[in-house]
Amino acid sequence: MGSASLVLFARLSGLVIAVLVVYWALLLVPHQGLTYSTLHPLLMVIGFILVSGEAILIHRWLPGSRKTKKAVHLWLQGVALISAVFGIWTKFHYQSGVFSNFYSLHSWMGLLSVSLFAAQWVTGFLSFWHRGEVRTTRTTFLPWHVFLGLYTYGLATATAETGLLEKLTFLQTKRNVPRRCHESMVVNGLGLGLVLLSGVVITAAVLPKYQNGHSGNEKLVYSSQDRPKCLTS
């Protein structure tokens, strides 16, 4: 499966996930409406995970120069960061106190993933957009930027999984929601979709690219934003 197929599959998976989370948060629970409780999964799943995943895939499908790809990548990551910050902000609005919702493994992982994401965004901006940085510095930092970016994306997905498990456990124990009810199936489907999407996005990001040379031979390109390397096959 080539990069184009993986990107298409990731888009379809993301669309299904977005529909599921909107249906679960806004339509499945009657008379709940748009509250802080429903905003949190919408912002963290759609705004954070789906948008940051699309930002990772930018270098695989967007035509144009490296500068254009960097600009779109940085802009989308900024949107994802803002969504994540607001998603965490929604958890502070409860009567039992500011830190009442930051006691579980899910909350700690969420704070860690958003903090790493913010650090990634700032260092990426300084390393790739500051004109004072020499090319060797950017080339040295690039593998770490890619690794930490994919690690943070995987961590965000794992955090969402723990949040879904925490929410489903709460529904089954406090609200006596049946284990095989419609809402349980939607939440489980959402969790499986996130795992699948994360695997597809990371695979598309690490796979080498194939390009056609002038002689008609295929070239295996291990892309680097500064020094691309080609191996003629």
Side-chain angles (χ1 to χ4, degrees):
M1 184 179 290
S3 296
S5 300
L6 287 174
V7 170
L8 176 61
F9 192 70
R11 295 270 180 77
L12 294 176
S13 301
L15 178 61
V16 173
I17 290 171
V19 171
L20 283 176
V21 72
V22 170
Y23 175 67
W24 176 48
L26 299 180
L27 302 177
L28 189 58
V29 181
H31 309 298
Q32 182 164 302
L34 193 62
T35 63
Y36 291 126
S37 179
T38 56
L39 275 176
H40 182 74
L42 292 173
L43 288 170
M44 302 308 287
V45 173
I46 298 177
F48 187 30
I49 295 178
L50 295 188
V51 174
S52 64
E54 183 64 29
I56 292 174
L57 296 174
I58 281 296
H59 295 287
R60 286 295 177 178
W61 67 268
L62 185 68
S65 63
R66 290 195 301 269
K67 185 176 181 180
T68 300
K69 294 179 180 180
K70 289 178 184 179
V72 177
H73 175 79
L74 186 69
W75 182 80
L76 286 177
Q77 295 287 50
V79 172
L81 178 58
I82 293 173
S83 298
V85 171
F86 274 100
I88 290 181
W89 173 79
T90 60
K91 305 304 291 184
F92 284 87
H93 292 268
Y94 288 89
Q95 297 179 355
S96 52
V98 173
F99 297 102
S100 60
N101 290 285
F102 294 90
Y103 62 90
S104 63
L105 176 63
H106 169 67
S107 61
W108 291 6
M109 290 176 65
L111 291 173
L112 177 60
S113 60
V114 174
S115 299
L116 286 176
F117 193 87
Q120 269 283 97
W121 193 88
V122 172
T123 54
F125 177 84
L126 294 177
S127 297
F128 294 109
W129 288 90
H130 191 265
R131 295 181 180 273
E133 295 290 343
V134 295
R135 175 172 294 183
T136 55
T137 302
R138 296 198 302 269
T139 304
T140 302
F141 178 72
L142 178 60
W144 290 102
H145 178 73
V146 173
F147 167 75
L148 290 175
L150 295 178
Y151 173 80
T152 304
Y153 180 75
L155 179 61
T157 303
T159 303
E161 299 292 340
T162 60
L164 293 174
L165 178 60
E166 184 179 291
K167 183 66 175 181
L168 196 57
T169 303
F170 172 80
L171 292 175
Q172 292 174 352
T173 56
K174 301 297 184 180
R175 295 187 185 176
N176 296 321
V177 174
R179 294 181 179 180
R180 292 181 176 85
C181 71
H182 184 56
E183 185 172 3
S184 297
M185 296 299 104
V186 171
V187 175
N188 287 336
L190 179 58
L192 288 176
L194 286 171
V195 171
L196 180 62
L197 175 65
S198 176
V200 172
V201 169
I202 293 175
T203 301
V206 300
L207 279 182
K209 298 179 181 179
Y210 284 89
Q211 294 180 357
N212 291 325
H214 295 290
S215 61
N217 297 328
E218 285 187 335
K219 291 183 177 181
L220 184 62
V221 181
Y222 292 90
S223 61
S224 170
Q225 294 181 358
D226 293 300
R227 294 179 181 178
K229 299 179 181 179
C230 301
L231 297 176
T232 304
S233 58

